[in-house]
Amino acid sequence: MNNQYTRREVFCRNTCHDLKRFWEREIGKQTYYRESEEHRLGRSALRKLREEWKQKLETKLRLRNNPEDTEKRTNVG
């Protein structure tokens, strides 16, 4: 009867170690995928285009809301 308990302890210890190793690998894979996706998005031209369009729209809105400032700028320049 003691042999059964010993075997279970050994089996459980190996199983727990295997489960821990498995989940550590899965977490490592997910971390790698997330970091590579963030890196890919960081290099994306889409972000740059969105920023350019945002600046253009902000400029147009500023010009529309403050036409007096644009007249002063054109008269000075």
Side-chain angles (χ1 to χ4, degrees), residues 4 33 40 43:
Q4 288 178 338
Y33 293 144
R40 185 186 69 79
R43 295 182 327 199

Side-chain angles (χ1 to χ4, degrees), residues 32-44:
Y32 172 76
Y33 293 144
R34 182 180 46 82
E35 289 173 352
S36 63
E37 182 67 12
E38 287 175 0
H39 180 68
R40 185 186 69 79
L41 289 174
R43 295 182 327 199
S44 175

